Amino acid sequence: MVRPSRALAEEDAENTQPSSNTLEFNEPLSWKAGKAIPVTTLVKRLTTLSKQLSLLEQEGVDRDSLAIPAKELAQVGLMLHRDPGVKAFTACCLADMLRLHAPDAPYTAQQLKDIFSCFVSCLKGLEDPDAGYYQQYICLLDSLSTVKSVVLISDIPDCEDVTLSLFTSFFDIAKPDGSKNVEYHMTDILIQLIDECNSLPTEVVDIIMAQFLRMAPSPVQPPKKGGAARADPKIDEKQTRLTNAVPPPAYNMAKNICNTCVDKMARHICQYFSEVILDAAPSSRRKLGSADGEDEDAPVHEPSHEELHDLDKAHQLAKELWKACPQVLQNVIPQLEQELLADNGEIRKLACETIGDMALTGNFLSSAPATWKVWVSRANDKSPGVRAKWVQAAVRILKERSDSMAIQLVDLIAIKLNDLDDAVRFAVSADQSPFNLYDSSNSIAGTNTNRKGKAEGDTKGWGKKILLTLAERVRDKKIHVRLEGMRCLARMWDMAYKDIAKGDDVVFAQLGWIPSKILDTFYINDPEVNVLLDHVLHEILIPVNYPPIEKERYGMEPEKANGNAKGKGKDKDDNKEREREILEGDKIRVRRLLVLVKGLDTKAKRALFAVPLRQISYAKVMEVFLKACEDNNGGVIEEGIDEAAVRTTLDKFSAWLSQKLPEPPKAKENLQKFAKLHDRRCYQLIRFCFSPESDYRTVVKALKEIKKRIGESSQSGILDSLTPLLYRVSQLIYNKSHVAPIVEFSRTDPALGSTAHEVLKEMSGSNPAVFKANVKALSDLLQEQSPSSGSSDSSGAVDTLKACAGFAKSYPKDMPQERKLLQALVSFALTGSPPAAAKHAVTILMHSASRKEIYAVDLVKRCIKDFKFGEEHFLAKLACLGQLVLLAPEQCEDDNKAIKELVTDIIVKVRTPKPDDENEEESKMVWADDSELDDEIKAKLLALRVLVNRLRAHADVASSEDASVVKSLNKIVANEGEPLGAKSTPATHRSRLRLAAAQHLLKLATYKSYDDLITAVEFNRLAVVAQDGCLQVRQGFINKLKKYLAAGKLNARYYTIIFLMAYEPNEDWREEVVTWIRARAIQVSKSASGSNVMEGIFARLMSLLVHHPDYGTQVKDLTDFSKYILFYLRAVANEENISLIHYVAQRAKQFRDRLSPDNSDNLYYLSELSQAVIRHYAEHHRWSIQTWPGKLRLPAALFAPMQNAQESQEISNKTFLPEGVDKKLGALVRTSRNTTATTATTSSSGKKRKNEASASSPATTPAPKAKKAKPESSSKPKKVTKRRATRHESTPPPMKPSERRRSGRTAVAKVRSYKEDLPSDDEGFSDDEDEDASDIDQEMDDGTSSDQSEPEPRPRRASGRGRTSISGSTKKPPPTRKGKEKEKVDATEPDEMEVDELELEKENEEDKEEEETSAAIAVAPVAPMATTSPIVTPTKTAALGKRTTRAAAGKGKAEEKAEGKGKAVAGRRRSGRGRNKKDEDEEAAAESSELSDVPDES
């Protein structure tokens, strides 16, 4: 290395090379007192000496020639001279003297101390590169580093101050813009000194440690032993997160020192932490490491805030040391391990966080395996705060690492996501969670894949298992955990959207399910969750301002061109560019919507499609609210306006809107403030938001301006309540700006085309008004896709046709009347494929064509003329006929006979033979997908539709011909899908025909005239379809039933069918139905005529169960049927209505079975069984059963009065329930774990589902002898024997086990001994054009509350004297029960028994107006309407059970083990003592309509 001193020597021309290695300098450097050498002279002499010394070689130097100068240079006067030049050259000369005398310095210890003090003083000049003697300072630094003379400091006694000064100066000198050479030499000098010193002063260690905090996230000062805790100055939290991008030189110096001097620094750092950690929290020393229980009685003093603050600083330093030089912490990590075991939770929390951060880098597992094991065990720490810190650190490790350390944490994190403490669950989902980050090149898309390209179970960063567990937090009980969990998942999908849109299958597999999980929360129907979902949906998943709408480059008014043609042309070009940008923005947003919809599951799609339905209803309510605000005029109501009416309307609608938000009182107050603010501009802007005429940009700008205007006012808190309402009323999902891009995607994008068609279909059904501006584009698209234009397949046009059909129904006059379009529709009607295209084409023609009568006549003639089965387009003609007979019945009147013969021939004839090897039992579960259906079954389904639509078109009066159609449908149901009794139809056809017939019967039952034709026997047959052997048949039937019940189109008796799902093996679907029943129970109870409907139908359910094909009266059979009762109780019962249900069960024993009077014993068995189950259920929930103070009429069509008082007395004195059943029932309810466990399902051990033909016992079994309460009256009466004999005559004989399931229903069809039903007086339903039974798409079912149910008296509170409490836990002997039953029945006065008489109440005009107003507004935001047709206003009925029915007497028996053993019927408690009503009813309100209680405007 060339020293700078040599360069100085070469610059001096007068300098000559010495002839030998001897110093020739001989001028004096010392002076006598008072005769000081002038500074100029002294500097000149020192310069000469320095030059000569720098030229001398260390080897062979003449040390005698150095003696005098060496002695003179050590004078204090030179080293402490006031002139910097003198000091600088003196220091250089002394450094050379030490070099030339090495290794023996010619100075004493005191002189060396002074010399190094002089060195330190001079080296401080390196801070300023522009200093006059900077070159001499460099020379001095180079000499100290090269010669290593700095090690002499270790030989100086009491050199701590010199050492401290050297370290302080060097770290202060290090600057980011300084010389790297200087930094290197200083680091080298400090390393030499540390290596030579046996120990370092504590202050020196403090200084070294302080350098590592230069890279800390916040400016933390290192704690000092014994120093008083100082309050840190207030620092901006945002600034504390800033870190240096490039490490400062001082940090690098300290890092190099520690990595070079590992052993010594490890010892010093260990001592440092021992002092800092234990001294900062001296009270913790007793308990550190005492987790084994030692000295547990010793008092523990909790560390103070200041002590914990110093501990935090020390742990921050440990983390920085681990990043820079982990080797020096080898003795510190065991101390951190002991902190993990400390008694104090704050200390454990600090240690847990520190080790978690340290594990992000390096290999902590191999460096400290014992400490890692202890840290992992903190996942189960008793303190929630420690567990929260642990899970935060563990998630960060998963984000940064993908090795064995991360794999160990996957299962633990998944468990902690379900931690009992919400703070732990919240920690994973909070804003700072690494799950909020997404890196398409690393975290998800970088997933390890196998050769087939499928993602492996463990991903880089984290596994899908953890993500799925994280998704459960969107349903967390704590709202703040829900909030963060939902936002976290939504942000992940948002950041991964680009990869998903590109079609990255790996990313979609990992994150594509997130929107479905988020939208599932729609079914919780909690105000807080709904508001959160509104924000997430419109701010993250489909942001309102996506893509960002920039400020208009164009003014609101056109720029004046002053008549300049060039200016006009420029404006025209600008407008075209602007329109192009707008269209491109709409396409970007629509693409995001379609990508979102494409990844949703069925349930989530229903939830998303419910949002536009909700928007329409909310818009209507908001319009009324805004009108009330305008009339209120800020509180100053103008003359001529009814002040009371205005205030009432404002209060009513603000209260309704606030009920849909969290904290209703506060929300109502905010809405009242908004009305008082009286900003007319805001009123108009809100109207812009929900107007179908507003394009998307108008809606977004209106939302922005509303928020800006209110935010700038003094009432900015109004936005908390108004913002979610604005999201709900605005045209955001379906907007007229979206129609054109959706149509374009449906035509041009193969990946999103089908999804675009689906969205168009939903849009046409829920909000057809948005098509007004784009109906021309749709009509042009239909012309292009029509068969007449050369297109052979119309499948792509079906959704477009359905969209236009929905628009034509609502706005027939706005539909184009172009000749080409009408011709295209006729072409679709006659040759469309699939047949659904023909159906929708006819709908459009019959609603919008100006000459629709002519078109109808022409189409009918062309369809039936020379019709041949199997010819080309014969399916389209059948579909065309099906719509024509419904929409144009008058034009079809002349050809009715030909149409009927045509379709009857198709239904009756079997053209596809049944396979010879078809297994009868397996055939009951066969189902063929739509793509697998042949033309014959398609034609049969269309033919059935033609027959049913003919009836629907003439629903006012049912003729004998209509009755034959209903009878034929019932026959198909009874024959398991066989139109005739020949049993020659293939299994794939039978399952389809069973479902179609059952769904058509439900559709016809929505009309009073046809519902009267369905007798009780046929109703019981129809009900058992809910237990069909084929899952698709069951689901199709139940979903259609739910759809009509939710729309209020069916009588309340149809609710009983739902409860036959107690043995449904599909657990998820069964639980979904239970939730739906609870929601309906809530909604029905709110309706004007719905009081006690769900409780009253228990009587109908008992009648249905008594005539069930599997019913028997032995212990096993009764135990089986008790699960139906438990299923009902689980869905309907609560503390308020349990007494009424018990009363209904008791009342059933006071009547005879009208359907099978001679077999009324079966009813009494079930009555006692029901009472016992209800008592055990009430006991389990600790409910008390009160004596019901009112009277409830049982359906007269099902229950008949006793023949005489003697019979009544005899029945009341008997106990029919066999011995041992009561104990089994108690065990059944208790083992069901709060009756929320799943019901028993089919198993290989023979545990039957009631719809399976797998039971091995005979179909019928005689009822066991009824036991009387008193021993002396136990003889069997002749009357009972006679009834049993009659029962055997009216029920089928025992048969094979394989035939048992369906045999019951067949027997029911052949019964002829039942009494004829009385005429039915059930309510009627208006005709509406809903979807056909063959349609597969099912919508959510809770559109409005059902006013169709029969009204019953509300429960009255009995007086204290008359109330009798029946404890649910009472297990009284038969005599006591008999006594109670005797109190219920007055045997001497049978005429006083309440039997429902048939009478019809006509609805008055006032109620009709109220219903129509409510129907116009109501739509389900959580569970959308089943159909988009206007809600039919039902008529009122007198009471429960007015429907007349035929009897079905099939009684069977099934063999199943009676023990519950954990598979008992589940029953979720809906309310418990009235305390936790909200939590218990959260699921009950899952699918209830939040708009069913919309106040009327009158």
Side-chain angles (χ1 to χ4, degrees), residues 1464-1477:
V1465 175
R1468 185 181 298 276
R1469 174 180 177 180
R1470 283 179 48 204
S1471 64
R1473 305 185 184 182
R1475 291 182 296 179
N1476 296 323
K1477 189 76 173 176

Side-chain angles (χ1 to χ4, degrees), residues 1008-1024:
K1008 179 183 181 303
S1009 56
Y1010 300 131
D1011 192 24
D1012 293 342
L1013 300 177
I1014 302 177
T1015 64
V1017 175
E1018 293 166 342
F1019 177 83
N1020 291 341
R1021 260 191 238 122
L1022 178 65
V1024 187

Side-chain angles (χ1 to χ4, degrees), residues 617 1343-1345 1413-1420 1425 1431 1489 1491-1494:
S617 300
T1344 55
S1345 61
T1413 303
S1414 177
I1417 299 177
V1419 73
M1425 292 280 295
I1431 301 175
S1489 169
L1491 292 166
S1492 58
D1493 56 344
V1494 176

Side-chain angles (χ1 to χ4, degrees), residues 1396-1411:
D1396 185 61
E1397 298 298 334
L1398 305 175
E1399 60 181 11
L1400 179 64
E1401 288 187 44
K1402 293 185 178 180
E1403 187 175 41
N1404 55 54
E1405 294 298 322
E1406 180 180 351
D1407 287 342
K1408 182 176 294 185
E1409 286 182 7
E1410 180 179 350
E1411 291 293 337

